[in-house]
């Protein structure tokens, strides 16, 4: 799974600092709508994501002078989705290990 994410990152070329920050926000605001969060959090996260996409398009057009930025933006979106999925897989794997090896009951960090 990690290799797939790094392949999509490699296709992007060099990531600019602004793209990196946008990527972090996109990953952070990728809320699972089935997670029983309040509607306000889901709608706010979606608004933030929409604004980031608008600002990225403006950045590509005006500052990077890219007429066709669809490939670059698509790779960024693919990477954001992959990184989010890897985070969920990591949490699931951590839960399994903590259950199998019973590290949850002894480790304060896992308890929190």
């Amino acid at each position: 799974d990690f290799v797939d994410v790094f392949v999509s990152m490699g296709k992007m070329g060099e990531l600019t600092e602004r793209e990196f920050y946008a990527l972090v926000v996109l990953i952070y605001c990728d809320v699972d709508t089935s997670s029983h969060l309040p509607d306000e959090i889901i709608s706010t996260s979606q608004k933030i994501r929409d604004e980031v996409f608008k600002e990225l398009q403006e950045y590509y057009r005006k500052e990077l002078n890219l007429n066709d930025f669809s490939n670059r933006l698509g790779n960024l979106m693919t990477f954001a989705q992959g990184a989010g999925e890897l985070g969920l897989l990591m949490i699931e794997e951590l839960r399994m290990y903590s259950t199998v090896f019973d590290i949850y009951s002894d480790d304060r960090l896992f308890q929190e």
Side-chain angles (χ1 to χ4, degrees):
D1 291 333
F2 285 108
V3 171
D4 292 338
V5 170
F6 288 122
V7 167
S8 67
M9 186 178 183
K11 289 180 182 177
M12 289 183 60
E14 189 168 332
L15 197 66
T16 66
E17 185 176 351
R18 189 171 295 184
E19 286 176 313
F20 174 76
Y21 290 130
L23 182 62
V24 170
V25 172
L26 290 174
I27 293 169
Y28 183 75
C29 291
D30 189 18
V31 178
D32 180 12
T33 56
S34 66
S35 61
H36 307 295
L37 292 172
D39 290 338
E40 182 180 354
I41 291 175
I42 293 171
S43 65
T44 301
S45 296
Q46 187 59 46
K47 286 177 187 175
I48 292 170
R49 285 177 58 86
D50 291 345
E51 186 65 30
V52 168
F53 284 126
K54 288 177 189 173
E55 289 179 11
L56 270 174
Q57 290 178 28
E58 185 174 318
Y59 171 68
Y60 289 144
R61 282 189 191 115
K62 292 184 178 178
E63 293 189 35
L64 295 184
N65 296 320
L66 295 175
N67 292 328
D68 184 16
F69 54 84
S70 59
N71 190 30
R72 191 165 181 96
L73 185 59
N75 286 334
L76 188 74
M77 292 170 61
T78 301
F79 182 75
Q81 181 65 31
E85 290 295 320
L86 285 176
L88 294 175
L89 288 174
M90 186 182 78
I91 291 170
E92 188 177 308
E93 199 169 306
L94 182 63
R95 284 185 186 145
M96 185 207 45
Y97 288 139
S98 67
T99 303
V100 169
F101 298 113
D102 195 28
I103 57 175
Y104 178 76
S105 59
D106 294 337
D107 194 315
R108 182 177 172 90
L109 179 64
F110 284 121
Q111 287 177 353
E112 291 175 5

